[in-house]
């Protein structure tokens, strides 16, 4: 990169690949200075299934972003998502190292290492270990224990793992684009940087990102992430339902959804008529908009019912006083907020990208919230690198060493 104040992020979504370049000034304000977007090809539900196509989509999006921003992009922060992601809460305990009992960074590293030492299957790799809270001796609820004194340090941490094969393919795709990964970030965690306030994090909130083939959710409470989950349904399922229900093409169904779709039948006037093109007869058909909504509603309800299930699993329902915030292109359906409020029985709002000094108007949409969050993540976290190479390069080497040992 041209300077340390300039960072790039890539969101490899299931429907689009977006690259974003930002610059941070001396006051810590971030300006978006370039972006590129291409349709995501070669991926299915966040997993690379066609390397050539994936590489091409990333390369072109990054090239456009580099051109617009006038910078060279050689390192990126990239998001990871998909059904292969798992997350658990784990705890670790260590004895404080120093004779005077003052807790240092080394103790914190050690206790996080202890929390990490949970049994992880050999085909999975840890991508995040996020401390939720520390306890020093009998005092709990501590956010930062460094400088405190005690003999026993304990941590509750959220651990996110990814399939090694999937992560390795993502790394290979980046390598083929001559890009090094500063960070591989769980998409929903990156996203939270761009749309949540400190109050949201403390009060408790759910973030639901409804994308093309996936919906990512995360639950925050008491300033830290408590639960993350990936739901294998998104806007594309809604489009497919419309195509089947109205016997039209997927392209037509997508256009209908975007121009006239609604997630809640009761807000649509049954008299309101829309025109649809029929692929078979070429004769346009008239249809009540209420019928379209009645096709969309059950699928959105299904996605939201899976969210309700995850809230139950996380056992935090009554603690989420900030309710839920929606992002992703799939959330751009009229009536989705009242439907979600009914189903979750909590306040729901549409996400708004914040914490930026400047965003081009065309990017100021919930469709681009994830890539903005990834960019902020890049500015707020030191790159994870060892021996001059990216995190996943080490992962790859480890994997390849393991494979060569087996054969
Ligand atoms: N105005 C709109 N109304 C309804 N749906 C929309 C609208 N605009 C986009 N969508 C839907 O949003 C979905 C894509 O969302 P998004 O761009 O957030 O996905 P993505 O980031 O590529 O995917 P993912 O997050 O799953 O990896 C598509 O299914 C598309 O039909
Ligand atoms: Mg997305």
């Amino acid at each position: 990169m041209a300077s340390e104040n300039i960072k790039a992020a890539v969101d490899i979504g299931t429907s689009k690949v977006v690259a974003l370049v930002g610059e941070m000034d001396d006051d810590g304000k971030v300006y978006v200075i370039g972006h590129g977007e291409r349709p995501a090809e070669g991926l299915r539900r966040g997993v690379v299934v066609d390397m050539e196509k994936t590489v091409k989509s990333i390369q072109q999006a990054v090239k456009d972003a580099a051109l617009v921003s006038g910078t060279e992009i050689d390192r990126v922060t990239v998001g990871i998502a998909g059904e292969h992601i798992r997350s658990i809460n784990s705890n670790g305990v260590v004895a404080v190292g120093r004779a005077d009992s003052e807790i240092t960074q080394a103790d914190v590293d050690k206790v996080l290492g202890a929390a990490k030492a949970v049994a992880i299957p050999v085909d999975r790799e840890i991508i995040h270990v996020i401390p939720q809270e520390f306890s020093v001796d009998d005092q709990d609820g501590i956010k930062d224990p460094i400088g405190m004194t005690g003999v026993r340090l304990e941590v509750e941490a959220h651990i996110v793992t990814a399939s090694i094969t999937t992560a390795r393919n993502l790394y290979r795709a980046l390598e083929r684009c001559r890009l090094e990964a500063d960070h591989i970030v769980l998409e929903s965690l990156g996203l939270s940087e761009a749309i949540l306030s400190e109050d949201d994090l403390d009060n408790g909130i759910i973030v639901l990102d409804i994308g093309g083939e996936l919906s990512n959710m995360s639950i925050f409470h008491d300033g830290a992430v408590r639960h993350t989950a990936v739901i294998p349904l998104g806007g594309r399922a809604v489009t497919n339902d419309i195509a089947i229900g109205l016997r039209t093409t997927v392209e037509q169904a997508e256009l209908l959804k975007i121009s006239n779709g609604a997630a809640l039948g009761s807000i649509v006037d049954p008299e309101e008529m829309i025109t649809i093109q029929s692929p078979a007869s070429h004769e346009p058909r008239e249809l009540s908009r209420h019928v379209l909504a009645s096709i969309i509603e059950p699928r959105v309800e299904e996605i939201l019912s899976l969210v309700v299930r995850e809230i139950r699993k996380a056992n935090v329902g009554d603690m989420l006083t900030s309710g839920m915030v929606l992002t992703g292109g799939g959330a751009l359906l009229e009536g989705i907020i009242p439907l979600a409020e009914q189903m979750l029985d909590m306040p729901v709002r549409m996400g708004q990208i914040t914490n930026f000094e400047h965003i081009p108007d065309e990017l100021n949409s919930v469709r681009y919230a994830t890539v903005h969050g990834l960019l902020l993540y890049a500015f707020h976290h030191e790159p994870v690198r060892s021996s001059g190479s990216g995190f996943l390069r080490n992962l790859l080497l480890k994997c390849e060493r393991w494979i060569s040992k087996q054969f």
Side-chain angles (χ1 to χ4, degrees), residues 11-18 37-40 45-46 81-82 187 209-216 231 233-239 253-262 296 327-334 365-371:
D11 172 18
I12 306 170
T14 53
S15 63
K16 64 186 194 305
V17 175
V18 190
E37 175 176 347
R38 293 292 159 128
R45 291 188 182 163
E187 281 195 3
D209 174 38
I210 309 180
E213 294 179 1
L214 297 172
S215 295
N216 292 296
I231 294 165
L233 284 173
R236 195 158 302 167
V238 175
T239 301
E254 177 75 10
L255 290 175
L256 266 179
K257 178 180 81 171
I258 290 175
S259 57
N260 287 294
I296 298 174
T327 69
L332 289 169
L333 281 167
E334 198 186 327
S365 153
V366 285
R367 291 184 61 225
Y368 301 107
T370 299
V371 76

Side-chain angles (χ1 to χ4, degrees), residues 81-329:
E83 288 166 277
H84 63 102
I85 300 287
R86 303 272 179 278
S87 65
I88 50 163
N89 291 326
S90 166
N91 77 332
V93 189
V94 292
V96 174
R98 265 171 58 154
D100 64 2
S101 300
E102 185 178 327
I103 296 166
T104 62
Q105 183 66 49
D107 295 310
V108 170
D109 293 345
K110 218 163 93 188
V111 79
L112 286 174
K116 227 160 78 165
V118 283
I120 303 283
V122 287
D123 60 345
R124 307 195 65 77
E125 181 72 27
I126 293 174
I127 56 169
H128 292 287
V129 179
I130 307 151
Q132 294 169 328
E133 63 173 54
F134 294 89
S135 309
V136 177
D137 298 337
D138 289 333
Q139 192 187 338
D140 54 20
I142 297 165
K143 294 282 166 224
D144 182 4
I146 293 175
M148 298 178 76
T149 51
V151 290
R152 179 178 178 277
L153 177 65
E154 185 170 353
V155 71
E156 284 288 333
H158 187 70
I159 298 186
V160 181
T161 65
S163 136
I164 285 187
T165 318
T166 307
R168 189 172 57 166
N169 282 333
L170 184 60
Y171 172 71
R172 277 223 191 282
L174 291 178
E175 194 180 51
R176 292 267 308 273
C177 299
R178 297 185 192 286
L179 293 169
E180 194 176 315
D182 269 349
H183 300 278
I184 305 287
V185 185
L186 180 66
E187 281 195 3
S188 51
L189 288 182
L191 170 64
S192 65
E193 301 242 353
I195 56 160
L196 297 187
S197 66
E198 290 286 322
D199 280 350
D200 290 333
L201 291 174
D202 287 338
N203 295 343
I205 194 161
I206 303 170
V207 179
L208 177 64
D209 174 38
I210 309 180
E213 294 179 1
L214 297 172
S215 295
N216 292 296
M217 71 173 280
S218 43
I219 299 179
F220 296 84
H221 185 254
D222 247 350
V225 61
R226 303 284 150 180
H227 186 78
T228 46
V230 179
I231 294 165
L233 284 173
R236 195 158 302 167
V238 175
T239 301
N240 290 342
D241 291 347
I242 299 170
I244 293 165
L246 298 181
R247 288 194 210 91
T248 184
T249 61
V250 168
E251 291 74 23
Q252 276 285 336
E254 177 75 10
L255 290 175
L256 266 179
K257 178 180 81 171
I258 290 175
S259 57
N260 287 294
L264 191 60
S266 60
I267 61 159
V268 176
D269 176 1
E271 305 289 312
E272 192 181 342
M273 300 303 280
I274 53 176
T275 308
I276 59 168
Q277 298 295 334
S278 168
S281 66
H282 300 293
E283 279 295 305
R285 281 186 279 161
E286 288 272 293
L287 178 87
S288 148
R289 192 171 165 230
H290 192 267
V291 171
L292 179 63
S294 67
I295 296 174
I296 298 174
E297 188 174 324
R299 185 61 87 173
V300 179
E301 264 179 6
E302 185 187 0
I303 296 173
L304 293 169
S305 67
L306 294 171
V307 171
V308 171
R309 201 172 73 181
E310 292 296 333
I311 298 171
R312 284 207 196 101
K313 257 196 229 169
N315 205 14
V316 287
D318 48 357
M319 297 180 203
L320 306 171
T321 50
S322 279
M324 179 162 83
V325 57
L326 291 172
T327 69

